[in-house]
Amino acid sequence: MPTNMEIKARVESLQKLLPLVASLADSGPEHVAQDDTFFPCPNGRLKLRVLDVTHGVLIFYRREDEAGPKPSFYVHSETTDPDGLRSILADAYGELGRVRKSRTVFRIGETRVHLDCVDGLGEFLELEVPVGDKMALHAAEFEAHRLLAAFGVEETALVEGAYLDLLNAASRTDAT
């Protein structure tokens, strides 16, 4: 199963971070709107990412919900009918929730750098460092820490879990 070393942090301002990331980037920016629907899954997380009306990606992944770099094991399959697939999955399993975001993607070396503006949550930096032939797990973790330091991101800004978890926690707080 493919693996990334992932890390996510809340950031004060994507506009302030953007020039720094761009100056270090080998490629990008690529701008992507994403609409992720999560479904119940006992062995990890299952989400359908809709990129446009004729392009979606069903993604299963498994990772620990902790702050800091963590391995994420994933598989995915593309679809040309994301709305139809969402409907079938929702009928079969129910929906846990949706996350809508605009994402700006850069690549620094092998690392995918995501600058995310998440509806209802705010602004985040997410790093995905591929683990495998080119980079071992410990080297990927080192690279994630190196980039966080280069971007000036403090350990206190690191977040646990998925955006869906943060949205659910925020809605529980709003309800009390």
Side-chain angles (χ1 to χ4, degrees):
M1 195 178 293
T3 303
N4 285 324
M5 182 64 67
E6 291 189 8
I7 194 163
K8 186 178 302 167
R10 190 176 290 276
V11 296
E12 196 174 295
S13 169
L14 290 179
Q15 289 303 332
K16 289 181 184 176
L17 190 57
L18 184 66
L20 178 56
V21 173
S23 73
L24 298 173
D26 298 309
S27 67
E30 176 186 351
H31 303 284
V32 184
Q34 297 179 342
D35 180 356
D36 294 346
T37 303
F38 286 79
F39 303 94
C41 180
N43 301 315
R45 294 183 189 262
L46 183 66
K47 68 181 173 185
L48 176 63
R49 172 165 291 159
V50 177
L51 301 165
D52 66 41
V53 295
T54 62
H55 186 206
V57 184
L58 185 64
I59 304 165
F60 167 75
Y61 66 98
R62 189 172 36 243
R63 70 165 186 247
E64 298 297 321
D65 289 332
E66 57 190 37
K70 58 220 157 253
S72 176
F73 308 95
Y74 67 94
V75 291
H76 68 275
S77 180
E78 305 215 8
T79 180
T80 58
D81 183 15
D83 288 336
L85 183 56
R86 179 190 292 125
S87 178
I88 291 169
L89 289 166
D91 286 348
Y93 300 111
E95 288 184 18
L96 293 176
R98 282 174 92 164
V99 176
R100 292 174 180 92
K101 63 184 168 287
S102 60
R103 170 170 278 180
T104 303
V105 182
F106 291 90
R107 189 174 291 274
I108 299 175
E110 296 296 316
T111 304
R112 290 179 300 278
V113 179
H114 303 156
L115 303 179
D116 291 341
C117 185
V118 183
D119 291 2
L121 281 182
E123 299 180 334
F124 295 84
L125 165 72
E126 183 178 86
L127 303 176
E128 293 180 348
V129 186
V131 175
D133 295 338
K134 294 184 179 182
M135 195 173 300
L137 197 61
H138 69 279
E141 183 174 353
F142 178 82
E143 179 65 3
H145 281 296
R146 183 188 75 77
L147 287 171
L148 285 177
F151 300 148
V153 175
E154 301 288 331
E155 292 281 326
T156 56
L158 301 181
V159 297
E160 299 177 6
Y163 292 134
L164 181 65
D165 301 326
L166 298 175
L167 282 168
N168 288 340
S171 69
R172 284 192 299 273
T173 302
D174 291 344
T176 58

